[in-house]
Amino acid sequence: MSAKGSCSNKSTAAPASATSAVLVRSEGVSEGTKQIRGYDFEDGVDYNKLLGSYMTTGFQATNFGQAVEIVNKMRQWRLSDERVAEDENSEERDPEYRSSVKCKIFLGYTSNLVSSGIRETIKYLAKNRMIDVLVSTAGGIEEDFIRCIAPTYLGDFNLQGHTLRSKGLNRIGNIIVPNDNYCKFEDWIIPIFDQALKEQQEEGVVWTPSKLIHRLGKEINHPDSIYYWAYKHNIPVYCPALTDGSLGDMLYFHSYRSPGLVLDVIQDIRAINNEAVFAKKTGMIILGGGLIKHHICNANLMRNGADFAVFVNTAQEFDGSDAGARPDEAVSWGKIKADADTVKVYADASLVFPLLVAQTFAKSS
């Protein structure tokens, strides 16, 4: 049989099962749905337009764009945007008063960010009174003061631990902190602990972690310090694990040298919870996870949830960690309101946070 004859019996139509599977008809997309479009560099380099294009870029760029929108909503909200409730008193009904009441913004961040250049971004926010409550870990407190006393250096992720240890150099990712910095920190802070103990014994001062941080901010008296500006503007700083770091080491040494200094954590949990309870509107910006994330979220549980939330971290939820949890998990606990504006940006905060501030807080400064 010829080759021509062998082909003559084959159908020219594709199998119906294949075409029906591949060529499924689409339903219409909702009117107003954004189309995917990135930045066109033919228009030159305009960083404002570039970052603005993230909203329609897709993936985490779009999450970043949503974060910008939510932070701007936090900043723009006023009580005057809401209807007057029946149970509000005469002051709360006054239009001038209502236009002055803003959303209370909680900013939380892990210690590594204060060791990094993100410290300067946080300091900018504190200096310009753009946030209302700060929450960090012990390292996030002490590293700010240490960097006022001695510098931190850029290193490399691949530097060998045993070599660094023999040289008295500590590594935080690709950042190097000489151990001498902590010795200088001890020389600075121990006399402050001595004075705090004296005031406790002679004047009956009840010290809390936040009150001690406030005093340290006063004593450092340095314009590069986050907590100097928090002290100047009376921005509360909460650190429920103040002993979990070099500050804890110094308190440990001080307890042998001059026993008796006491920090009352119960006063602080009451204080941060009340920051949320008595706020008309709350927003959370949380960089990283763990203690700082849960501490802010749990305070907002006391008011049946925050109204706005922006999470920035790299953690995943498959292991059930609080760090990895998306905002919707916090809704189930009552830590974020069911109708809140929320987003999680899966990214390194050292990349994202300065850009977020550039598109929000810094634009109206």
Side-chain angles (χ1 to χ4, degrees):
M1 185 182 289
S2 68
K4 181 177 179 180
S6 67
C7 295
S8 61
N9 294 329
K10 291 186 177 180
S11 173
T12 57
S17 60
T19 56
S20 63
V22 174
L23 303 177
V24 175
R25 293 287 183 179
S26 301
E27 292 186 3
V29 177
S30 301
E31 186 177 351
T33 301
K34 293 182 174 71
Q35 295 183 24
I36 291 297
R37 187 169 181 83
Y39 184 73
D40 187 348
F41 282 96
E42 295 292 345
D43 297 332
V45 179
D46 183 323
Y47 291 107
N48 183 52
K49 290 181 178 179
L50 171 61
L51 293 173
S53 75
Y54 277 23
M55 179 59 83
T56 56
T57 295
F59 308 133
Q60 292 309 302
T62 293
N63 283 23
F64 171 83
Q66 292 171 349
V68 170
E69 286 191 348
I70 293 170
V71 171
N72 281 329
K73 285 182 180 179
M74 289 184 205
R75 302 195 64 232
Q76 293 162 5
W77 182 89
R78 297 293 183 272
L79 183 58
S80 54
D81 298 337
E82 309 289 333
R83 290 182 177 180
V84 177
E86 291 183 4
D87 60 350
E88 289 185 310
N89 59 38
S90 57
E91 180 188 34
E92 293 170 327
R93 292 170 179 268
D94 178 65
E96 186 175 349
Y97 170 80
R98 295 180 72 81
S99 64
S100 70
V101 176
K102 302 177 181 179
C103 175
K104 180 170 285 188
I105 300 177
F106 292 75
L107 174 63
Y109 45 91
T110 49
S111 66
N112 56 320
L113 297 177
V114 179
S115 301
S116 77
I118 298 301
R119 175 212 189 202
E120 280 63 44
T121 305
I122 299 168
K123 183 261 295 182
Y124 164 80
L125 297 176
K127 181 179 179 179
N128 291 282
R129 293 189 253 191
M130 293 176 170
I131 32 79
D132 302 294
V133 180
L134 295 173
V135 177
S136 194
T137 57
I141 306 300
E142 66 206 22
E143 290 293 327
D144 177 68
F145 298 126
I146 289 169
R147 289 184 61 191
C148 293
I149 297 167
T152 295
Y153 299 94
L154 185 63
D156 190 284
F157 283 102
N158 296 313
L159 294 173
Q160 294 297 308
H162 64 86
T163 303
L164 294 174
R165 180 61 178 168
S166 69
K167 296 179 178 181
L169 300 174
N170 304 294
R171 182 171 69 84
I172 306 169
N174 60 350
I175 293 171
I176 296 296
V177 186
N179 209 58
D180 284 349
N181 291 15
Y182 296 98
C183 300
K184 294 172 183 176
F185 179 57
E186 180 181 14
D187 293 340
W188 174 74
I189 205 168
I190 291 296
I192 300 173
F193 288 166
D194 289 339
Q195 180 61 30
L197 177 59
K198 181 180 178 182
E199 292 176 20
Q200 175 187 297
Q201 293 172 335
E202 297 180 3
E203 302 171 27
V205 174
V206 178
W207 291 100
T208 66
S210 64
K211 189 179 289 186
L212 182 61
I213 294 165
H214 185 79
R215 172 61 67 84
L216 295 176
K218 176 184 178 181
E219 295 295 337
I220 197 67
N221 193 29
H222 198 298
D224 286 348
S225 168
I226 297 168
Y227 306 115
Y228 166 75
W229 291 108
Y231 155 74
K232 291 278 284 185
H233 298 318
N234 206 29
I235 299 169
V237 182
Y238 297 102
C239 181
L242 192 67
T243 56
D244 187 29
S246 182
L247 268 165
D249 299 342
M250 302 309 155
L251 287 165
Y252 170 73
F253 297 145
H254 188 265
S255 73
Y256 281 94
R257 173 180 165 176
S258 305
L261 183 61
V262 175
L263 297 179
D264 183 350
V265 297
I266 297 174
Q267 280 198 30
D268 265 8
I269 193 63
R270 173 173 170 152
I272 190 172
N273 286 355
N274 283 345
E275 295 282 358
V277 167
F278 296 109
K280 294 293 186 182
K281 208 83 162 177
T282 63
M284 309 186 296
I285 303 172
I286 303 178
L287 313 177
L291 179 143
I292 56 107
K293 181 171 180 273
H294 185 264
H295 202 56
I296 293 174
C297 288
N298 201 69
N300 278 274
L301 167 62
M302 302 299 154
R303 65 185 304 275
N304 200 31
D307 302 281
F308 306 100
V310 172
F311 297 166
V312 181
N313 67 56
T314 57
Q316 304 292 321
E317 66 177 341
F318 66 84
D319 59 359
S321 65
D322 184 75
R326 292 177 294 111
D328 188 63
E329 184 174 307
V331 173
S332 77
W333 289 88
K335 297 170 184 176
I336 296 176
K337 291 187 185 299
D339 60 351
D341 288 319
T342 68
V343 71
K344 176 172 176 176
V345 184
Y346 290 83
D348 175 358
S350 71
L351 283 169
V352 169
F353 192 53
L355 303 179
L356 182 59
V357 170
Q359 291 298 97
T360 54
F361 297 98
K363 274 197 167 182
S364 59
S365 63

